[in-house]
Amino acid sequence: MHEHRDGTVAGQAPLGVCVLGATGSIGDSTLKVLALHPQRYRVVALSGQTRLARLAELTAQFAPQQVVVPTGQTGAFLALLQAQSVPQPWPEVLEGEAGLCAMAADPAAPVVMAAIVGAAGLAPTLAAVRAGKRVLLANKEALVMAGSLFMQAVRQYGATLLPVDSEHNAIFQCLPADYFSSAQCLHQGPSRAGVRQILLTASGGPFRGWRHEQLQSVTPEQACRHPNWQMGRKISVDSATLINKGLELIEACHLFELPPERVTVVIHPQSVIHSMVQYVDGSTLAQLGRPDMCTPIAHALAWPERLDSGVADLDVFALARLDFEAPDEQVFAGLRLAREAMQAGGLMPAVFNAANEVAVEAFLNGQLGFCQIPVLIESVLTQFSSGTADTLSAILAADQHARVLASDWLGRRG
Ligand code: NAD
Ligand code: MG
């Protein structure tokens, strides 16, 4: 594809993009990158569950054809468009999960950014996959819950799945171009395409090096103040507990078809290296950059081409040092629990994810202490007898059951 200096692509209309979770942090970064390339991409569909006034502003800015709002909120949303004097024609407004799935599958958008947080993102992301689209995956919880089913749908429907999570995007960039096509012949062997292991980097979050006693009185505000990244509140808490790294470990196993033993978590406080791949010949490849999600988003949008993301170059002369250390899984037990859930397989990762979502919400609402988050998750995991995760209904039932067990646990504590 040849791009002119004004950003237009020779002989091609702009590509339609749907942004699921447009009012969130990843949604924000995505729209920032898209706004840099109006001749190349057109925003045709947006969704938001929270911050409807922001969704109305985005509607004024991008003039999408479709918007999805929460169930029962169409009237309120139209009133906001009116109040903000958003010029006509207004978009078609759909509601709830059915609206999200319809919008994700609509042929007007061959590209879908999956940036809804949590289990709520699973059905719409899967709908985009089943429509055979280019799916930019930020919603890691979808893959944690339904990894095998999800990856099978990617193959079956010929979708193009591109990881947006910065670590997985980095790993993707460090793998050989034929990694995925070499699956059949090399998957069973001790190494795959010469890959020995993945080194999944983690900043360590705001409480790196803290002892258990120090963590007892941590507040939601402290947990959400991440040293290197600006993110939504749920993933910020997950980063503080290192459960985000646990979810990412499971995500990496599915995306790159590797067992959990071949994914090693490395604490790297500077967040300059976004992950590494080690090969059997002693080579270690790394991807470096500023901690700004616009880089992996632009990569996933344009792959296999490259696109200006608006992010400044990394100033290597300004890098004082790069440190690496092992995670403390005694203090941050959620990481160990995630690995054990992946090793147990079946429905356990979905159970782990659901229990964590309930625990994080309770922590953010002041109902649960920071150190109790992994305690709650472990209690739910041990009460659960696993089963196979080969249907969506089995996965959703496990998710619901785990939420009930987690709420009961909270209830018993008064
Ligand atoms: P956020 O909380 O800032 O935004 C979440 C978006 O999802 C919002 O638009 C919100 O309205 C929508 N949403 C929330 N609940 C919903 C529901 N029940 N139904 C439909 N929509 C709903 O979160 P974020 O930080 O942008 O993260 C989004 C996803 O990307 C998460 O899965 C997160 O793990 C992943 N991710 C985020 C970052 C980051 O830097 N923020 C990095 C890597 C991966
Ligand atoms: Mg990440």
Side-chain angles (χ1 to χ4, degrees), residues 140 165-168 201 229 235 244-245 248 251 293:
K140 64 191 82 183
D165 210 346
S166 57
E167 296 77 5
H168 306 75
T201 55
W229 300 90
I235 184 176
N244 182 49
K245 217 43 58 179
E248 291 186 355
E251 185 186 11
M293 291 306 293

Side-chain angles (χ1 to χ4, degrees), residues 244-319:
N244 182 49
K245 217 43 58 179
L247 296 171
E248 291 186 355
L249 184 148
I250 299 172
E251 185 186 11
C253 292
H254 288 299
L255 281 173
F256 308 115
E257 294 173 26
L258 291 170
E261 305 77 57
R262 303 260 296 271
V263 183
T264 301
V265 174
V266 181
I267 304 291
H268 164 50
Q270 290 89 3
S271 297
V272 169
I273 293 180
H274 299 307
S275 278
M276 297 176 258
V277 177
Q278 278 190 334
Y279 289 87
V280 290
D281 63 2
S283 300
T284 301
L285 301 195
Q287 186 261 0
L288 287 72
R290 290 180 190 267
D292 188 325
M293 291 306 293
C294 289
T295 296
I297 290 167
H299 176 267
L301 267 172
W303 178 86
E305 297 177 32
R306 294 275 176 177
L307 195 64
D308 178 11
S309 65
V311 177
D313 291 341
L314 184 66
D315 180 356
V316 291
F317 296 107
L319 295 179

Side-chain angles (χ1 to χ4, degrees), residues 164-210:
V164 167
D165 210 346
S166 57
E167 296 77 5
H168 306 75
N169 184 270
I171 294 160
F172 184 73
Q173 294 197 46
C174 294
L175 287 172
D178 66 351
Y179 183 77
F180 293 94
S181 52
S182 68
Q184 261 78 42
C185 49
L186 290 169
H187 194 194
Q188 304 305 327
S191 74
R192 172 153 170 202
V195 172
R196 176 99 65 201
Q197 67 166 339
I198 282 171
L199 298 176
L200 188 68
T201 55
S203 70
F207 310 131
R208 182 176 58 89
W210 287 36

Side-chain angles (χ1 to χ4, degrees), residues 1-3 9 12 40-41 134 298-308:
M1 198 170 359
H2 175 71
E3 197 171 347
V9 178
Q12 286 186 22
R40 189 167 169 141
Y41 300 105
R134 173 187 278 248
H299 176 267
L301 267 172
W303 178 86
E305 297 177 32
R306 294 275 176 177
L307 195 64
D308 178 11

Side-chain angles (χ1 to χ4, degrees), residues 19-29 47-52 55 68 70 96-97 100 113-121 124 137-142 164-167 229-236 238 244 247-248 251 292-293:
V19 184
L20 299 168
T23 57
S25 162
I26 291 287
D28 233 45
S29 299
S47 88
Q49 178 84 2
T50 48
R51 302 174 70 209
L52 281 196
L55 193 61
V68 181
E97 188 172 277
L100 289 169
M113 164 55 82
I116 290 173
V117 60
L137 186 73
N139 176 232
K140 64 191 82 183
E141 294 91 347
V164 167
D165 210 346
S166 57
E167 296 77 5
W229 300 90
Q230 283 289 321
M231 307 181 287
R233 282 167 77 77
K234 193 259 176 183
I235 184 176
S236 295
D238 286 347
N244 182 49
L247 296 171
E248 291 186 355
E251 185 186 11
D292 188 325
M293 291 306 293

